[in-house]
mmCIF file of all heavy atoms in Angstrom:
data_model
loop_
_atom_site.group_PDB
_atom_site.id
_atom_site.type_symbol
_atom_site.label_atom_id
_atom_site.label_comp_id
_atom_site.label_asym_id
_atom_site.label_seq_id
_atom_site.Cartn_x
_atom_site.Cartn_y
_atom_site.Cartn_z
ATOM 1 N N GLY X 579 -12.758 -96.034 46.374
ATOM 2 C CA GLY X 579 -11.853 -95.990 47.528
ATOM 3 C C GLY X 579 -10.513 -96.599 47.138
ATOM 4 O O GLY X 579 -10.248 -96.819 45.957
ATOM 5 N N GLY X 580 -9.677 -96.875 48.134
ATOM 6 C CA GLY X 580 -8.331 -97.372 47.840
ATOM 7 C C GLY X 580 -8.280 -98.882 47.687
ATOM 8 O O GLY X 580 -9.165 -99.597 48.149
ATOM 9 N N GLY X 581 -7.259 -99.379 47.002
ATOM 10 C CA GLY X 581 -6.960 -100.813 46.957
ATOM 11 C C GLY X 581 -7.991 -101.699 46.294
ATOM 12 O O GLY X 581 -8.446 -102.686 46.872
ATOM 13 N N ALA X 582 -8.383 -101.351 45.064
ATOM 14 C CA ALA X 582 -9.406 -102.149 44.368
ATOM 15 C C ALA X 582 -8.793 -103.425 43.773
ATOM 16 O O ALA X 582 -7.773 -103.371 43.107
ATOM 17 C CB ALA X 582 -10.050 -101.306 43.278
ATOM 18 N N THR X 583 -9.434 -104.553 43.990
ATOM 19 C CA THR X 583 -9.019 -105.815 43.375
ATOM 20 C C THR X 583 -9.917 -106.096 42.181
ATOM 21 O O THR X 583 -10.927 -105.424 41.977
ATOM 22 C CB THR X 583 -9.178 -106.968 44.379
ATOM 23 O OG1 THR X 583 -10.552 -107.020 44.761
ATOM 24 C CG2 THR X 583 -8.331 -106.744 45.619
ATOM 25 N N GLY X 610 -2.001 -95.094 43.781
ATOM 26 C CA GLY X 610 -0.723 -95.239 44.434
ATOM 27 C C GLY X 610 -0.536 -96.709 44.729
ATOM 28 O O GLY X 610 0.505 -97.302 44.471
ATOM 29 N N ILE X 611 -1.584 -97.315 45.238
ATOM 30 C CA ILE X 611 -1.552 -98.701 45.636
ATOM 31 C C ILE X 611 -2.143 -99.608 44.570
ATOM 32 O O ILE X 611 -1.652 -100.701 44.320
ATOM 33 C CB ILE X 611 -2.404 -98.915 46.919
ATOM 34 C CG1 ILE X 611 -2.313 -97.698 47.828
ATOM 35 C CG2 ILE X 611 -1.984 -100.181 47.626
ATOM 36 C CD1 ILE X 611 -3.300 -97.725 48.950
ATOM 37 N N THR X 612 -3.208 -99.126 43.958
ATOM 38 C CA THR X 612 -3.979 -99.946 43.036
ATOM 39 C C THR X 612 -3.100 -100.524 41.927
ATOM 40 O O THR X 612 -2.315 -99.808 41.310
ATOM 41 C CB THR X 612 -5.102 -99.094 42.409
ATOM 42 O OG1 THR X 612 -5.677 -98.317 43.466
ATOM 43 C CG2 THR X 612 -6.140 -99.949 41.764
ATOM 44 N N ARG X 613 -3.253 -101.835 41.685
ATOM 45 C CA ARG X 613 -2.470 -102.474 40.625
ATOM 46 C C ARG X 613 -3.286 -102.535 39.351
ATOM 47 O O ARG X 613 -4.394 -103.066 39.313
ATOM 48 C CB ARG X 613 -2.061 -103.878 41.064
ATOM 49 C CG ARG X 613 -0.900 -103.859 42.080
ATOM 50 C CD ARG X 613 -0.720 -105.194 42.747
ATOM 51 N NE ARG X 613 -0.665 -106.282 41.761
ATOM 52 C CZ ARG X 613 -0.732 -107.561 42.088
ATOM 53 N NH1 ARG X 613 -0.857 -107.919 43.348
ATOM 54 N NH2 ARG X 613 -0.681 -108.479 41.160
ATOM 55 N N VAL R 52 6.106 -95.828 62.410
ATOM 56 C CA VAL R 52 4.890 -96.228 61.706
ATOM 57 C C VAL R 52 3.956 -96.864 62.727
ATOM 58 O O VAL R 52 4.265 -97.913 63.297
ATOM 59 C CB VAL R 52 5.209 -97.232 60.575
ATOM 60 C CG1 VAL R 52 3.922 -97.698 59.898
ATOM 61 C CG2 VAL R 52 6.162 -96.611 59.568
ATOM 62 N N GLN R 53 2.819 -96.198 62.978
ATOM 63 C CA GLN R 53 1.824 -96.805 63.869
ATOM 64 C C GLN R 53 0.914 -97.687 63.021
ATOM 65 O O GLN R 53 0.472 -97.289 61.946
ATOM 66 C CB GLN R 53 1.041 -95.713 64.612
ATOM 67 C CG GLN R 53 1.893 -95.013 65.653
ATOM 68 C CD GLN R 53 1.152 -93.893 66.364
ATOM 69 O OE1 GLN R 53 1.378 -92.720 66.090
ATOM 70 N NE2 GLN R 53 0.274 -94.250 67.287
ATOM 71 N N GLY R 54 0.681 -98.890 63.500
ATOM 72 C CA GLY R 54 -0.058 -99.867 62.705
ATOM 73 C C GLY R 54 0.872 -100.588 61.733
ATOM 74 O O GLY R 54 0.447 -101.036 60.670
ATOM 75 N N ILE R 55 2.132 -100.713 62.102
ATOM 76 C CA ILE R 55 3.138 -101.255 61.178
ATOM 77 C C ILE R 55 2.899 -102.729 60.879
ATOM 78 O O ILE R 55 3.318 -103.229 59.822
ATOM 79 C CB ILE R 55 4.566 -101.053 61.756
ATOM 80 C CG1 ILE R 55 5.630 -101.328 60.684
ATOM 81 C CG2 ILE R 55 4.803 -101.959 62.984
ATOM 82 C CD1 ILE R 55 7.025 -100.905 61.072
ATOM 83 N N THR R 56 2.234 -103.447 61.785
ATOM 84 C CA THR R 56 2.056 -104.886 61.563
ATOM 85 C C THR R 56 0.834 -105.200 60.703
ATOM 86 O O THR R 56 0.615 -106.350 60.341
ATOM 87 C CB THR R 56 1.948 -105.635 62.904
ATOM 88 O OG1 THR R 56 0.899 -105.037 63.670
ATOM 89 C CG2 THR R 56 3.241 -105.551 63.694
ATOM 90 N N GLY R 57 0.056 -104.170 60.358
ATOM 91 C CA GLY R 57 -1.077 -104.390 59.465
ATOM 92 C C GLY R 57 -0.604 -104.565 58.025
ATOM 93 O O GLY R 57 0.560 -104.316 57.708
ATOM 94 N N ARG R 58 -1.503 -104.974 57.128
ATOM 95 C CA ARG R 58 -1.148 -105.219 55.736
ATOM 96 C C ARG R 58 -0.603 -103.957 55.075
ATOM 97 O O ARG R 58 0.486 -103.940 54.503
ATOM 98 C CB ARG R 58 -2.396 -105.709 54.980
ATOM 99 C CG ARG R 58 -2.112 -106.488 53.719
ATOM 100 C CD ARG R 58 -3.404 -107.054 53.133
ATOM 101 N NE ARG R 58 -4.330 -105.996 52.768
ATOM 102 C CZ ARG R 58 -4.418 -105.484 51.513
ATOM 103 N NH1 ARG R 58 -3.678 -105.973 50.554
ATOM 104 N NH2 ARG R 58 -5.270 -104.521 51.245
ATOM 105 N N GLU R 59 -1.367 -102.873 55.184
ATOM 106 C CA GLU R 59 -0.955 -101.606 54.571
ATOM 107 C C GLU R 59 0.301 -101.053 55.243
ATOM 108 O O GLU R 59 1.210 -100.563 54.581
ATOM 109 C CB GLU R 59 -2.079 -100.563 54.705
ATOM 110 C CG GLU R 59 -3.374 -100.950 54.041
ATOM 111 C CD GLU R 59 -3.329 -100.729 52.542
ATOM 112 O OE1 GLU R 59 -3.056 -99.591 52.143
ATOM 113 O OE2 GLU R 59 -3.543 -101.689 51.786
ATOM 114 N N GLY R 60 0.307 -101.130 56.581
ATOM 115 C CA GLY R 60 1.434 -100.590 57.336
ATOM 116 C C GLY R 60 2.731 -101.262 56.946
ATOM 117 O O GLY R 60 3.749 -100.594 56.703
ATOM 118 N N ALA R 61 2.703 -102.591 56.863
ATOM 119 C CA ALA R 61 3.912 -103.346 56.527
ATOM 120 C C ALA R 61 4.352 -103.030 55.096
ATOM 121 O O ALA R 61 5.529 -102.766 54.827
ATOM 122 C CB ALA R 61 3.654 -104.843 56.687
ATOM 123 N N PHE R 62 3.383 -103.040 54.154
ATOM 124 C CA PHE R 62 3.703 -102.799 52.751
ATOM 125 C C PHE R 62 4.357 -101.427 52.568
ATOM 126 O O PHE R 62 5.399 -101.281 51.931
ATOM 127 C CB PHE R 62 2.439 -102.912 51.894
ATOM 128 C CG PHE R 62 2.664 -102.605 50.444
ATOM 129 C CD1 PHE R 62 3.255 -103.552 49.611
ATOM 130 C CD2 PHE R 62 2.330 -101.363 49.911
ATOM 131 C CE1 PHE R 62 3.480 -103.266 48.273
ATOM 132 C CE2 PHE R 62 2.553 -101.070 48.581
ATOM 133 C CZ PHE R 62 3.126 -102.030 47.750
ATOM 134 N N HIS R 63 3.741 -100.414 53.160
ATOM 135 C CA HIS R 63 4.261 -99.059 52.935
ATOM 136 C C HIS R 63 5.510 -98.765 53.753
ATOM 137 O O HIS R 63 6.286 -97.887 53.381
ATOM 138 C CB HIS R 63 3.158 -98.030 53.155
ATOM 139 C CG HIS R 63 2.145 -98.093 52.063
ATOM 140 N ND1 HIS R 63 2.438 -97.698 50.784
ATOM 141 C CD2 HIS R 63 0.881 -98.559 52.041
ATOM 142 C CE1 HIS R 63 1.383 -97.895 50.012
ATOM 143 N NE2 HIS R 63 0.418 -98.420 50.750
ATOM 144 N N THR R 64 5.698 -99.496 54.850
ATOM 145 C CA THR R 64 6.970 -99.371 55.564
ATOM 146 C C THR R 64 8.100 -99.763 54.616
ATOM 147 O O THR R 64 9.113 -99.068 54.493
ATOM 148 C CB THR R 64 6.974 -100.276 56.802
ATOM 149 O OG1 THR R 64 5.998 -99.783 57.718
ATOM 150 C CG2 THR R 64 8.338 -100.283 57.484
ATOM 151 N N GLU R 65 7.895 -100.862 53.913
ATOM 152 C CA GLU R 65 8.914 -101.295 52.956
ATOM 153 C C GLU R 65 9.129 -100.238 51.869
ATOM 154 O O GLU R 65 10.257 -99.895 51.525
ATOM 155 C CB GLU R 65 8.495 -102.635 52.331
ATOM 156 C CG GLU R 65 9.607 -103.260 51.520
ATOM 157 C CD GLU R 65 9.203 -104.615 50.921
ATOM 158 O OE1 GLU R 65 7.979 -104.871 50.802
ATOM 159 O OE2 GLU R 65 10.101 -105.385 50.566
ATOM 160 N N GLN R 66 8.012 -99.726 51.343
ATOM 161 C CA GLN R 66 8.107 -98.699 50.303
ATOM 162 C C GLN R 66 8.871 -97.475 50.803
ATOM 163 O O GLN R 66 9.696 -96.901 50.096
ATOM 164 C CB GLN R 66 6.698 -98.277 49.849
ATOM 165 C CG GLN R 66 5.935 -99.369 49.113
ATOM 166 C CD GLN R 66 6.605 -99.728 47.794
ATOM 167 O OE1 GLN R 66 6.918 -98.855 46.988
ATOM 168 N NE2 GLN R 66 6.860 -101.006 47.585
ATOM 169 N N MET R 67 8.577 -97.069 52.033
ATOM 170 C CA MET R 67 9.245 -95.881 52.586
ATOM 171 C C MET R 67 10.732 -96.155 52.797
ATOM 172 O O MET R 67 11.574 -95.294 52.523
ATOM 173 C CB MET R 67 8.553 -95.451 53.886
ATOM 174 C CG MET R 67 7.147 -94.897 53.636
ATOM 175 S SD MET R 67 6.362 -94.165 55.109
ATOM 176 C CE MET R 67 5.935 -95.623 56.033
ATOM 177 N N LEU R 68 11.048 -97.361 53.270
ATOM 178 C CA LEU R 68 12.454 -97.733 53.447
ATOM 179 C C LEU R 68 13.170 -97.708 52.102
ATOM 180 O O LEU R 68 14.285 -97.188 51.981
ATOM 181 C CB LEU R 68 12.563 -99.119 54.083
ATOM 182 C CG LEU R 68 12.218 -99.203 55.574
ATOM 183 C CD1 LEU R 68 12.061 -100.662 56.009
ATOM 184 C CD2 LEU R 68 13.267 -98.494 56.427
ATOM 185 N N THR R 79 2.636 -101.189 67.384
ATOM 186 C CA THR R 79 1.338 -101.852 67.367
ATOM 187 C C THR R 79 1.106 -102.397 68.777
ATOM 188 O O THR R 79 1.884 -103.243 69.228
ATOM 189 C CB THR R 79 1.295 -103.021 66.356
ATOM 190 O OG1 THR R 79 1.607 -102.537 65.055
ATOM 191 C CG2 THR R 79 -0.100 -103.651 66.324
ATOM 192 N N VAL R 87 9.303 -105.782 61.543
ATOM 193 C CA VAL R 87 8.681 -105.702 60.225
ATOM 194 C C VAL R 87 9.697 -105.079 59.279
ATOM 195 O O VAL R 87 10.100 -103.931 59.476
ATOM 196 C CB VAL R 87 7.391 -104.846 60.275
ATOM 197 C CG1 VAL R 87 6.847 -104.643 58.863
ATOM 198 C CG2 VAL R 87 6.344 -105.509 61.164
ATOM 199 N N HIS R 88 10.101 -105.843 58.283
ATOM 200 C CA HIS R 88 11.142 -105.396 57.350
ATOM 201 C C HIS R 88 12.357 -104.860 58.101
ATOM 202 O O HIS R 88 12.911 -103.818 57.730
ATOM 203 C CB HIS R 88 10.600 -104.346 56.379
ATOM 204 C CG HIS R 88 9.496 -104.876 55.512
ATOM 205 N ND1 HIS R 88 9.675 -105.887 54.618
ATOM 206 C CD2 HIS R 88 8.185 -104.553 55.446
ATOM 207 C CE1 HIS R 88 8.540 -106.164 54.017
ATOM 208 N NE2 HIS R 88 7.616 -105.383 54.503
ATOM 209 N N VAL R 109 3.743 -91.769 61.210
ATOM 210 C CA VAL R 109 2.715 -91.910 60.185
ATOM 211 C C VAL R 109 1.806 -93.058 60.620
ATOM 212 O O VAL R 109 2.273 -94.074 61.130
ATOM 213 C CB VAL R 109 3.325 -92.119 58.775
ATOM 214 C CG1 VAL R 109 4.166 -93.385 58.711
ATOM 215 C CG2 VAL R 109 2.234 -92.155 57.708
ATOM 216 N N LEU R 110 0.499 -92.840 60.480
ATOM 217 C CA LEU R 110 -0.480 -93.779 61.038
ATOM 218 C C LEU R 110 -1.163 -94.577 59.940
ATOM 219 O O LEU R 110 -1.951 -94.014 59.178
ATOM 220 C CB LEU R 110 -1.547 -93.010 61.837
ATOM 221 C CG LEU R 110 -1.225 -92.673 63.296
ATOM 222 C CD1 LEU R 110 -0.020 -91.762 63.396
ATOM 223 C CD2 LEU R 110 -2.429 -92.049 63.958
ATOM 224 N N PHE R 111 -0.867 -95.867 59.876
ATOM 225 C CA PHE R 111 -1.623 -96.761 58.999
ATOM 226 C C PHE R 111 -2.591 -97.561 59.854
ATOM 227 O O PHE R 111 -2.377 -98.744 60.108
ATOM 228 C CB PHE R 111 -0.682 -97.687 58.228
ATOM 229 C CG PHE R 111 0.052 -96.994 57.121
ATOM 230 C CD1 PHE R 111 1.331 -96.500 57.307
ATOM 231 C CD2 PHE R 111 -0.548 -96.802 55.882
ATOM 232 C CE1 PHE R 111 2.007 -95.846 56.290
ATOM 233 C CE2 PHE R 111 0.117 -96.156 54.852
ATOM 234 C CZ PHE R 111 1.403 -95.672 55.059
ATOM 235 N N VAL R 112 -3.607 -96.879 60.369
ATOM 236 C CA VAL R 112 -4.592 -97.554 61.220
ATOM 237 C C VAL R 112 -5.977 -97.228 60.676
ATOM 238 O O VAL R 112 -6.183 -96.185 60.069
ATOM 239 C CB VAL R 112 -4.476 -97.108 62.688
ATOM 240 C CG1 VAL R 112 -3.135 -97.490 63.291
ATOM 241 C CG2 VAL R 112 -4.675 -95.609 62.820
ATOM 242 N N PRO R 113 -6.933 -98.144 60.872
ATOM 243 C CA PRO R 113 -8.281 -97.904 60.353
ATOM 244 C C PRO R 113 -8.929 -96.691 61.037
ATOM 245 O O PRO R 113 -8.551 -96.343 62.157
ATOM 246 C CB PRO R 113 -9.039 -99.179 60.741
ATOM 247 C CG PRO R 113 -8.006 -100.178 61.160
ATOM 248 C CD PRO R 113 -6.815 -99.409 61.598
ATOM 249 N N PRO R 114 -9.884 -96.069 60.349
ATOM 250 C CA PRO R 114 -10.485 -94.839 60.873
ATOM 251 C C PRO R 114 -11.020 -94.966 62.295
ATOM 252 O O PRO R 114 -10.919 -94.026 63.064
ATOM 253 C CB PRO R 114 -11.598 -94.515 59.877
ATOM 254 C CG PRO R 114 -11.640 -95.621 58.896
ATOM 255 C CD PRO R 114 -10.401 -96.409 59.020
ATOM 256 N N ILE R 135 -3.399 -91.266 57.613
ATOM 257 C CA ILE R 135 -3.774 -91.700 56.274
ATOM 258 C C ILE R 135 -5.262 -92.027 56.188
ATOM 259 O O ILE R 135 -5.913 -91.771 55.184
ATOM 260 C CB ILE R 135 -2.955 -92.983 55.934
ATOM 261 C CG1 ILE R 135 -1.442 -92.696 56.012
ATOM 262 C CG2 ILE R 135 -3.346 -93.550 54.598
ATOM 263 C CD1 ILE R 135 -0.961 -91.609 55.108
ATOM 264 N N ALA R 136 -5.811 -92.586 57.269
ATOM 265 C CA ALA R 136 -7.162 -93.153 57.253
ATOM 266 C C ALA R 136 -8.196 -92.209 56.647
ATOM 267 O O ALA R 136 -8.184 -91.012 56.894
ATOM 268 C CB ALA R 136 -7.585 -93.519 58.684
ATOM 269 N N GLU R 137 -9.090 -92.779 55.873
ATOM 270 C CA GLU R 137 -10.176 -92.024 55.251
ATOM 271 C C GLU R 137 -11.465 -92.332 55.994
ATOM 272 O O GLU R 137 -11.733 -93.491 56.311
ATOM 273 C CB GLU R 137 -10.307 -92.445 53.781
ATOM 274 C CG GLU R 137 -11.423 -91.727 53.050
ATOM 275 C CD GLU R 137 -11.490 -92.097 51.570
ATOM 276 O OE1 GLU R 137 -10.566 -92.796 51.098
ATOM 277 O OE2 GLU R 137 -12.457 -91.702 50.916
ATOM 278 N N SER R 163 -5.176 -88.433 53.982
ATOM 279 C CA SER R 163 -4.039 -87.784 53.348
ATOM 280 C C SER R 163 -3.164 -88.842 52.713
ATOM 281 O O SER R 163 -3.076 -89.963 53.209
ATOM 282 C CB SER R 163 -3.227 -87.039 54.418
ATOM 283 O OG SER R 163 -1.895 -86.823 54.007
ATOM 284 N N PHE R 164 -2.505 -88.479 51.597
ATOM 285 C CA PHE R 164 -1.550 -89.433 51.024
ATOM 286 C C PHE R 164 -0.213 -89.362 51.752
ATOM 287 O O PHE R 164 0.670 -90.161 51.505
ATOM 288 C CB PHE R 164 -1.370 -89.211 49.518
ATOM 289 C CG PHE R 164 -0.911 -87.833 49.128
ATOM 290 C CD1 PHE R 164 0.431 -87.470 49.216
ATOM 291 C CD2 PHE R 164 -1.826 -86.902 48.639
ATOM 292 C CE1 PHE R 164 0.852 -86.211 48.832
ATOM 293 C CE2 PHE R 164 -1.406 -85.627 48.262
ATOM 294 C CZ PHE R 164 -0.071 -85.275 48.360
ATOM 295 N N LYS R 173 9.838 -89.921 52.270
ATOM 296 C CA LYS R 173 8.386 -89.846 52.167
ATOM 297 C C LYS R 173 7.774 -90.517 53.390
ATOM 298 O O LYS R 173 8.330 -91.460 53.961
ATOM 299 C CB LYS R 173 7.888 -90.498 50.876
ATOM 300 C CG LYS R 173 7.910 -92.022 50.871
ATOM 301 C CD LYS R 173 7.106 -92.555 49.676
ATOM 302 C CE LYS R 173 6.880 -94.058 49.761
ATOM 303 N NZ LYS R 173 5.948 -94.556 48.744
ATOM 304 N N GLY R 175 4.028 -91.812 53.983
ATOM 305 C CA GLY R 175 2.689 -91.923 53.421
ATOM 306 C C GLY R 175 2.665 -93.050 52.404
ATOM 307 O O GLY R 175 3.555 -93.897 52.378
ATOM 308 N N PHE R 176 1.646 -93.031 51.540
ATOM 309 C CA PHE R 176 1.514 -94.160 50.621
ATOM 310 C C PHE R 176 1.589 -93.738 49.156
ATOM 311 O O PHE R 176 1.222 -94.500 48.266
ATOM 312 C CB PHE R 176 0.208 -94.922 50.892
ATOM 313 C CG PHE R 176 -1.039 -94.142 50.578
ATOM 314 C CD1 PHE R 176 -1.512 -94.059 49.278
ATOM 315 C CD2 PHE R 176 -1.742 -93.503 51.576
ATOM 316 C CE1 PHE R 176 -2.663 -93.352 48.981
ATOM 317 C CE2 PHE R 176 -2.893 -92.789 51.281
ATOM 318 C CZ PHE R 176 -3.357 -92.709 49.982
ATOM 319 N N MET R 177 2.026 -92.498 48.896
ATOM 320 C CA MET R 177 2.030 -92.038 47.504
ATOM 321 C C MET R 177 2.962 -92.887 46.640
ATOM 322 O O MET R 177 3.994 -93.365 47.097
ATOM 323 C CB MET R 177 2.420 -90.559 47.418
ATOM 324 C CG MET R 177 3.845 -90.217 47.782
ATOM 325 S SD MET R 177 4.220 -90.475 49.548
ATOM 326 C CE MET R 177 3.331 -89.140 50.288
ATOM 327 N N TYR R 198 -1.881 -86.733 42.427
ATOM 328 C CA TYR R 198 -1.146 -87.652 41.550
ATOM 329 C C TYR R 198 -1.223 -87.204 40.111
ATOM 330 O O TYR R 198 -0.234 -87.160 39.384
ATOM 331 C CB TYR R 198 -1.748 -89.057 41.613
ATOM 332 C CG TYR R 198 -1.573 -89.757 42.918
ATOM 333 C CD1 TYR R 198 -2.378 -90.845 43.230
ATOM 334 C CD2 TYR R 198 -0.616 -89.360 43.841
ATOM 335 C CE1 TYR R 198 -2.232 -91.514 44.428
ATOM 336 C CE2 TYR R 198 -0.469 -90.017 45.039
ATOM 337 C CZ TYR R 198 -1.283 -91.098 45.326
ATOM 338 O OH TYR R 198 -1.150 -91.751 46.504
#
Side-chain angles (χ1 to χ4, degrees):
Chain X
T583 59
I611 326 169
T612 317
R613 284 167 50 191
Chain R
V52 177
Q53 289 178 256
I55 192 169
T56 55
R58 202 174 62 95
E59 300 281 304
F62 177 78
H63 289 291
T64 294
E65 190 179 21
Q66 293 295 310
M67 291 188 286
L68 286 167
T79 302
V87 173
H88 298 297
V109 61
L110 275 62
F111 286 96
V112 296
I135 301 302
E137 179 177 352
S163 158
F164 58 80
K173 75 167 190 171
F176 67 82
M177 68 293 288
Y198 292 162

